[in-house]
Amino acid sequence: MGYKVAVVGATGNVGREMLATLAGREFPVDEVVALASERSVGKEVSFGEDEVLKCQDLAKFDFKGFDIGLFSPGAKVSAVHAPRAAKAGCIVIDNTSHFRMDPEIPLVVPEVNPDAIAGYTKRNIIANPNCSTIQMVVALKPLHDLARIKRVVVATYQSVSGGGKEAMDELYNQTRAIYMAGPIVKNKFPKQIAFNAIPQIDVFMEDGSTKEEWKMKVETKKILDPDIEVVATCVRVPVFVGHSEAINLEFENPISVEEAFEALQSAPGVILEDRREPGGYITPVECVGDDATFVSRVRIDTTVPHGLSLWVVSDNLRKGAALNAIQIAEHLAENYL
């Protein structure tokens, strides 16, 4: 028996990846529809290698009879249409920021807190975390289980695909302009992104943090442990796909590199690639198209009693968005539907 699935925001980077992941993982579907804004009606998107879907108008679509809605249309659109779908009986898995911190809506990374999925019955909505949070908590979960993390200090190196197609186009166009001695045009980013690093993702908050940095803090607490303290510096870098994170951890209990290696090697969704030689680590270019969260550069931090530093890389469009949503859907299908 298959399910009826609606993919909302189907023409965007994440929407297309959701369709590809649904097909690639052979999620049991009887029907898949692609939904987008009115201006995208009739636009064609691929579902697997052989099937092409024509986008329908989200505003006019009736979700009655559909089992699962995979939403990635932007927070303002989800705020309107996700509750409408949920009310019609469609379980919404929302990739936007709108519902993440709602106490009645579970925020789920299946490798970390799959039991939270059961809470979907309150509102018929499940939230997908921020891409940078997802890969971090996948890597932290086995270490937290081993020695209890007290504090996380993280610096992110986030690819432009996290800002959508316009952001990817801006990096491409600026890079081309530099080589061709043309004008640098800035639309999506506040400063030049080509050959640069921008220490701002999302808007600034009163305390000087950006909203992206705040998301990593509060989402980690909700998903992993409310007692963990998190401070983040989130940076946009001129990489098309793949987020990287330099993470420093302080634990309550002693932990060795050998113990960390063993825990990471057996953790779901994690691949440990850590050889102490040139090239013995994973970079964002190498993670593209892969489902895993890669961990490298694991080493002791001697500046605190029980400290560890590591490097974490993942494809932000897959595990950081589409794959995580499909994994939630798989758990729903296996355990709840």
Side-chain angles (χ1 to χ4, degrees):
M1 177 182 172
Y3 299 94
K4 297 177 74 173
V5 179
V7 178
V8 180
T11 59
N13 284 343
V14 175
R16 291 175 185 273
E17 194 67 37
M18 282 177 169
L19 287 165
T21 306
L22 270 176
R25 291 175 72 88
E26 298 182 345
F27 185 81
V29 296
D30 280 342
E31 183 181 353
V32 179
V33 296
L35 304 176
S37 64
E38 185 180 9
R39 68 178 180 274
S40 295
V41 170
K43 188 176 288 187
E44 294 185 342
V45 290
S46 296
F47 176 58
E49 293 184 3
D50 302 321
E51 193 169 349
V52 173
L53 307 176
K54 286 191 176 182
C55 287
Q56 301 179 41
D57 188 350
L58 169 62
K60 297 177 181 177
F61 187 76
D62 184 358
F63 285 93
K64 189 174 181 180
F66 275 77
D67 301 293
I68 296 171
L70 301 170
F71 275 61
S72 190
K76 291 181 180 179
V77 178
S78 277
V80 174
H81 294 286
R84 184 171 70 83
K87 188 176 180 180
C90 178
I91 302 171
V92 171
I93 302 169
D94 183 63
N95 190 58
T96 77
S97 62
H98 185 75
F99 299 101
R100 290 175 186 159
M101 297 315 297
D102 188 318
E104 291 190 335
I105 291 177
L107 184 67
V108 177
V109 178
E111 296 92 338
V112 180
N113 63 336
D115 291 345
I117 292 173
Y120 83 89
T121 54
K122 291 180 181 178
R123 299 272 292 278
N124 234 23
I125 298 173
I126 301 168
N128 221 30
N130 189 37
C131 49
S132 50
T133 303
I134 289 174
Q135 69 182 69
M136 184 170 79
V137 296
V138 168
L140 297 192
K141 169 65 173 171
L143 303 176
H144 185 58
D145 289 347
L146 183 65
R148 292 200 64 80
I149 298 167
K150 290 172 56 179
R151 181 170 183 255
V152 179
V153 181
V154 56
T156 72
Y157 308 80
Q158 293 179 228
S159 66
V160 295
S161 56
K165 183 179 182 299
E166 291 178 3
M168 298 177 76
D169 290 344
E170 189 157 312
L171 172 57
Y172 174 83
N173 291 331
Q174 287 184 2
T175 304
R176 187 173 183 275
I178 288 169
Y179 282 116
M180 303 294 289
I184 300 296
V185 178
K186 300 189 293 289
N187 292 315
K188 188 71 177 178
F189 298 108
K191 297 209 174 192
Q192 175 184 315
I193 183 61
F195 301 95
N196 200 11
I198 302 174
Q200 178 196 347
I201 301 178
D202 214 323
V203 297
F204 279 97
M205 305 181 76
E206 285 188 8
D207 67 352
S209 299
T210 64
K211 196 169 183 182
E212 186 84 357
E213 292 157 356
W214 173 81
K215 290 175 194 173
M216 292 196 73
K217 174 182 177 179
V218 296
E219 290 178 16
T220 299
K221 285 175 171 287
K222 184 173 179 179
I223 297 164
L224 190 57
D225 190 330
D227 294 330
I228 294 176
E229 296 300 329
V230 180
V231 60
T233 301
C234 293
V235 183
R236 192 72 76 187
V237 295
V239 171
F240 282 107
V241 179
H243 287 357
S244 306
E245 297 171 349
I247 304 174
N248 177 264
L249 303 172
E250 183 180 354
F251 294 86
E252 288 183 7
N253 303 306
I255 183 170
S256 68
V257 169
E258 291 73 23
E259 289 171 326
F261 271 23
E262 186 176 345
L264 290 164
Q265 284 170 334
S266 59
V270 174
I271 292 179
L272 178 68
E273 182 75 24
D274 193 340
R275 303 185 313 278
R276 295 180 178 180
E277 60 187 47
Y281 41 79
I282 297 297
T283 63
V285 166
E286 296 159 283
C287 80
V288 175
D290 204 296
D291 291 346
T293 295
F294 294 90
V295 180
S296 308
R297 301 291 322 280
V298 181
R299 59 206 187 277
I300 293 294
D301 172 14
T302 58
T303 65
V304 292
H306 310 304
L308 207 65
S309 294
L310 52 151
W311 172 255
V312 177
V313 176
S314 191
D315 183 330
N316 56 292
L317 298 180
R318 287 186 70 82
K319 183 53 190 169
L323 173 64
N324 198 76
I326 306 307
Q327 287 175 312
I328 294 171
E330 290 170 346
H331 274 266
L332 276 171
E334 186 174 344
N335 300 297
Y336 300 99
L337 298 184

